Amino acid sequence: MDKMGTIQKATVSDVNEKAVFSQIDGQTLMTKKTEFETAPQLGAEISGFIYENKKHQLCLAPKLPKVRVDHYAYGTVTDVRRDLGVFIDGGLPDKDLVISLDDLPENKQIWPEKGDRLMITLKVDKKGRMWAKLADETIFKAISNRPSGRNMRNENVSGTTYRLRAVGSLLITDDYYLGFIHHSERDVEPRLGEHVTGRVIGLTADGMLNISLKPRAFEEIGDDAAMVLAVLKRDPSGSIAFTDKSDPEEIKAYFGISKGAFKRALGHLLKARLIEQRDGRTYLK
C-alpha cells in the first residue's frame, strides 16, 4: 500500500464486537475497538496512522505513534535478533519496528539489549515496509542544550549513548547535554542505547561535556576512604580529631586500619576536595 506509514482518512465499512473496519482506496483497514473512546458508526469518517501489524493485516491506528516519518522519539528495545536486527517499540499496537543489521555496529557485543532506549524515526522502503532509523548527530545537536557557562566539572551525570566510535562514545544526558566518553575514560565500552552514569571532567570548545565512567580517586581505593567519609558525615561537627600526622596506634584503634592506609584515604579525599585539615583536625568540606 503506497500510504503505509502516513496519516490518512478512511470510511467505516463494518463494526463487530472486537474491531472496526474502514475503507480507503478500495482496501480494508482494521482497528481494534479498544483503540477508540467511542466506537464509530457505519459510514463515519475516521483518521489515523496506516501500518501493517504482526499478522500482516492492514491497520489504522487512531492514536498516532510517537515515532513517525521525520518525527523522532525514544523507542524501547523489545527484542534482539542477531540474524535480523533490533526490535523497537515505537508506539504502535501489535507492531514493533526493526533496526536493520546495516544500521547496527559490526561488533554485536555492543548491540542494544532489551530495555535499552534508542532515538529513532520511521522510514518506509519501496516495498512499503516500515523500518526504524537511528537519529544521526545532527538531530542530537538540534535537540541538545548548552551548559551556557555553567561549571559542571566533577558533577555526576546520566545519559544514553547514541553513537559508538573507536575513539570513544557519544551520549546525550538526561538534561539534554551532549557528552563524549574517551575510550581511556571507561573500563568497558557501553552498548548502543545503554543508560550510563559518569562524571564531568571537562568541556570541549563546542560545548560538549567530557565524561568519565571511571570512579573518582577516592572511590577507586574503596572502603578506607568511604569509611573515613562516612565517619565525617555522621559526626555533628563534620570533623574528626585525626590527620595524616596522627598517632598510628590511635588510628588503628579508632578506624581499624594502618596509618599508611589512613594517609592514602585522606590523600585521595583531599585531592577530590572533599575534606580539609586544620588545627589538628580533619573537616568535611
Side-chain angles (χ1 to χ4, degrees):
M1 187 179 190
D2 60 0
K3 293 181 173 58
M4 192 74 69
T6 64
I7 301 169
Q8 300 290 333
K9 293 181 179 180
T11 303
V12 176
S13 57
D14 191 18
V15 180
N16 62 29
E17 292 182 358
K18 295 183 178 181
V20 173
F21 297 91
S22 56
Q23 292 279 328
I24 181 171
D25 294 342
Q27 292 185 296
T28 301
L29 309 170
M30 188 272 292
T31 308
K32 292 181 180 178
K33 288 183 74 173
T34 53
E35 294 182 49
F36 295 99
E37 291 186 8
T38 303
Q41 302 297 313
L42 288 176
E45 186 178 74
I46 59 175
S47 64
F49 183 86
I50 310 300
Y51 72 101
E52 188 177 78
N53 67 11
K54 293 178 180 179
K55 297 180 180 179
H56 304 292
Q57 296 172 300
L58 281 177
C59 295
L60 181 146
K63 182 180 178 181
L64 301 183
K66 56 186 179 180
V67 176
R68 307 194 297 277
V69 176
D70 295 328
H71 281 68
Y72 290 82
Y74 275 114
T76 302
V77 176
T78 58
D79 195 14
V80 178
R81 289 279 304 274
R82 302 298 182 186
D83 56 333
L84 293 176
V86 172
F87 291 76
I88 305 283
D89 177 7
L92 282 171
D94 302 325
K95 176 72 174 182
D96 287 335
L97 301 172
V98 180
I99 299 176
S100 73
L101 299 172
D102 295 337
D103 294 331
L104 292 166
E106 291 185 13
N107 180 6
K108 295 183 179 180
Q109 297 300 315
I110 54 176
W111 276 21
E113 292 182 357
K114 187 174 181 179
D116 288 342
R117 297 195 312 155
L118 298 170
M119 180 76 73
I120 58 172
T121 188
L122 178 71
K123 66 177 182 180
V124 182
D125 65 19
K126 294 180 180 179
K127 296 181 179 179
R129 296 175 300 187
M130 298 193 307
W131 300 87
K133 180 182 178 182
L134 290 169
D136 60 26
E137 292 178 34
T138 60
I139 299 300
F140 286 97
K141 287 180 180 179
I143 65 174
S144 65
N145 298 320
R146 290 182 67 88
S148 64
R150 173 183 165 196
N151 183 10
M152 297 180 65
R153 184 180 289 274
N154 212 37
E155 284 190 22
N156 290 334
V157 291
S158 297
T160 303
T161 57
Y162 66 85
R163 188 74 73 246
L164 309 178
R165 297 173 172 174
V167 71
S169 309
L170 298 178
L171 83 161
I172 186 165
T173 73
D174 296 344
D175 294 322
Y176 285 85
Y177 296 119
L178 296 181
F180 173 69
I181 308 164
H182 190 265
H183 66 80
S184 63
E185 293 296 336
R186 67 195 187 203
D187 293 322
V188 179
E189 184 174 7
R191 301 184 304 274
L192 179 63
E194 182 176 359
H195 193 259
V196 299
T197 298
R199 60 188 172 90
V200 179
I201 58 174
L203 186 68
T204 67
D206 58 356
M208 181 176 285
L209 304 177
N210 282 319
I211 296 172
S212 176
L213 299 187
K214 289 188 173 182
R216 292 172 174 82
F218 76 89
E219 293 171 335
E220 285 184 310
I221 65 169
D223 295 340
D224 291 344
M227 174 183 63
V228 173
L229 202 57
V231 171
L232 282 163
K233 289 180 177 179
R234 285 199 301 267
D235 192 283
S237 69
S239 69
I240 52 175
F242 293 89
T243 68
D244 53 8
K245 301 185 185 305
S246 295
D247 181 79
E249 292 185 2
E250 292 180 358
I251 291 171
K252 183 70 173 179
Y254 192 87
F255 293 99
I257 59 176
S258 68
K259 181 172 181 177
F262 181 70
K263 288 181 68 174
R264 285 193 295 273
L266 289 184
H268 284 278
L269 292 172
L270 285 166
K271 186 177 180 181
R273 299 180 180 180
L274 293 172
I275 62 169
E276 59 184 359
Q277 296 184 67
R278 63 178 187 272
D279 303 325
R281 298 182 70 86
T282 298
Y283 291 85
L284 185 67
K285 293 185 71 171

